[in-house]
Amino acid sequence: FKAEKIINGRGKIVMPGLINCHTHVAMTLFRSMAEDRRLDEWLREIIWPLEAELKPQDVYHGALLGCIEMIKSGTTCFSDMYFHEDMVAKAVAETGLRCILSPGILGQETLGKMLLKKAISIVENYHGAANGRILTMLGPHAVYSCSQRLLRKVAEKSSELNVGIHMHLAESLSESINVKEKYGKSEAEVLNELRLLGPRFLAAHCIHLSDTDIALMAKHDVKVVYNPVSNMKLATGIPRIKDLIDTGLTVGLGTDGPASNNSLDMFETMKFAALLQKVKYEDPRVLSAKRVVEMATID
C-alpha cells in the first residue's frame, strides 16, 4: 500500500506502545492544584471536594487532554479508575487509544450502592466497545474508603460480570494502620477474606505490605502496579518491588493521576521506577533498563 506519510526512522528505535497500568486520566484538570500535601490531606481537603463539583462534560475534556498527552509520550493503552467513565470512553473512542475503564466505587450503604450500580452499567455498556479497544473492570477505591459489605458485593458482581477488579492497596501507612486496628488484619488479608484477591485483581501501589501479605498476593497471582512518581510526590513510601518480583508477582508501571504526578509520561515513570528501587535496596543493579521496559510493556 502507499502510505499517506513516510516517517524517517533513521537513528531511532521502534518499540511497543507503553501501557500505563494505573491512572485517573481526567485529573489533568487538577494538575498542580494540590501540591506539597500528605495523602489524607490531599484527598480529603482538596481532591474529593473538587471531584464533587465535576460534571460529565468536565471529565470528557480532562480525559481528552490526557489521551493526547499520553499519545505524544508513547502510551497506547491505559488502565483508568474514575467517575463518569462513559465520558472517558468517549475520549478514548475518538483518539484511538486502548483502555480499561474501572468506574470508581466508594462509601458506605447509600453512596456505595449507587456507585456500584453505575459501575455495573458501565461494564454492561462498554466492555468490548470501540471494536474491542475498550474493556472494563470494577474500581473499588480502597479498603479504608469502602464498607466490607460493599466490597463483598463488588467481589460477587466481578464474578457475575466476568471482569477484574482495580483497587488501591496499602498506599498509605496511616490508613494501613487504621485498617489493622479496625479489622485486626492487614488490607491484603481483609481482601482475601472477602474473596477479592485473584489473577484479575489489579492492585495499585502496594507499599506497606508484610512478607505474609506478599506471599498471600503471590498465592492468588494478584497483579501489582508500581507508581514511583506519585509515591514520591505524596511521600507515601517506596514499595519493595524486587521482593514482589522475586515471589513471582507480575508488576506493571503506572503514572497515577496527573494531580498526584503532574505528568502522564511513562518514560519519566520508567526512569524513576529504576532509580527509586536502586536507592531503596542500595544496589545499582536492581531493576535494569531492560527490566523496566518489560514492566512498561509486556508486564
Side-chain angles (χ1 to χ4, degrees), residues 69-119:
E69 189 176 334
M70 285 190 282
I71 289 167
K72 284 170 74 72
S73 55
T75 293
T76 58
C77 179
F78 66 101
S79 182
D80 195 60
M81 180 198 287
Y82 214 54
F83 309 104
H84 303 303
E85 287 284 61
D86 52 332
M87 293 291 104
V88 179
K90 185 182 174 190
V92 167
E94 288 173 14
T95 54
L97 285 167
R98 291 184 297 135
C99 79
I100 299 90
L101 302 173
S102 301
I105 305 163
L106 80 169
Q108 302 301 314
E109 295 312 301
T110 311
L111 178 63
K113 230 179 205 174
M114 182 191 78
L115 292 174
L116 178 57
K117 192 176 174 185
K118 280 188 177 179

Side-chain angles (χ1 to χ4, degrees), residues 206-266:
C206 299
I207 300 167
H208 305 286
L209 299 173
S210 67
D211 290 344
T212 305
D213 293 334
I214 293 171
L216 185 62
M217 289 164 64
K219 179 186 167 189
H220 289 281
D221 193 20
V222 166
K223 305 305 186 292
V224 173
V225 191
Y226 172 31
N227 305 276
V229 180
S230 170
N231 296 162
M232 287 191 287
K233 179 176 172 176
L234 295 170
T236 48
I238 309 174
R240 296 185 286 150
I241 298 301
K242 181 181 182 298
D243 297 0
L244 294 170
I245 291 171
D246 286 350
T247 60
L249 283 161
T250 301
V251 181
L253 296 179
T255 59
D256 207 354
S260 59
N261 182 314
N262 294 352
S263 170
L264 286 162
D265 188 340
M266 284 289 289

Side-chain angles (χ1 to χ4, degrees), residues 93-290:
E94 288 173 14
T95 54
L97 285 167
R98 291 184 297 135
C99 79
I100 299 90
L101 302 173
S102 301
I105 305 163
L106 80 169
Q108 302 301 314
E109 295 312 301
T110 311
L111 178 63
K113 230 179 205 174
M114 182 191 78
L115 292 174
L116 178 57
K117 192 176 174 185
K118 280 188 177 179
I120 290 166
S121 171
I122 293 289
V123 170
E124 289 172 344
N125 288 299
Y126 290 93
H127 194 72
N131 295 318
R133 286 192 286 110
I134 297 173
L135 297 175
T136 60
M137 299 173 91
L138 295 177
H141 180 259
V143 174
Y144 64 82
S145 54
C146 297
S147 69
Q148 287 212 340
R149 191 169 173 180
L150 178 60
L151 290 174
R152 269 199 198 91
K153 204 76 187 153
V154 167
E156 283 170 26
K157 289 298 174 186
S158 160
S159 182
E160 279 174 31
L161 296 163
N162 197 27
V163 294
I165 295 168
H166 180 181
M167 190 173 187
H168 300 98
L169 175 62
E171 180 180 9
S172 154
L173 180 59
S174 61
E175 295 295 358
S176 290
I177 289 169
N178 289 345
V179 166
K180 189 91 174 183
E181 286 174 355
K182 186 174 180 180
Y183 300 115
K185 297 179 180 70
S186 69
E187 290 182 52
E189 287 168 334
V190 168
L191 293 173
N192 182 51
E193 196 174 76
L194 297 172
R195 299 176 185 275
L196 273 85
L197 299 186
R200 294 187 302 175
F201 186 89
L202 187 64
H205 302 298
C206 299
I207 300 167
H208 305 286
L209 299 173
S210 67
D211 290 344
T212 305
D213 293 334
I214 293 171
L216 185 62
M217 289 164 64
K219 179 186 167 189
H220 289 281
D221 193 20
V222 166
K223 305 305 186 292
V224 173
V225 191
Y226 172 31
N227 305 276
V229 180
S230 170
N231 296 162
M232 287 191 287
K233 179 176 172 176
L234 295 170
T236 48
I238 309 174
R240 296 185 286 150
I241 298 301
K242 181 181 182 298
D243 297 0
L244 294 170
I245 291 171
D246 286 350
T247 60
L249 283 161
T250 301
V251 181
L253 296 179
T255 59
D256 207 354
S260 59
N261 182 314
N262 294 352
S263 170
L264 286 162
D265 188 340
M266 284 289 289
F267 279 96
E268 179 185 79
T269 290
M270 285 190 282
K271 176 178 179 175
F272 281 109
L275 297 184
L276 195 55
Q277 291 302 304
K278 294 175 195 299
V279 171
K280 172 78 173 172
Y281 290 95
E282 297 183 4
D283 182 352
R285 296 163 300 182
V286 172
L287 283 196
S288 67
K290 181 177 184 291

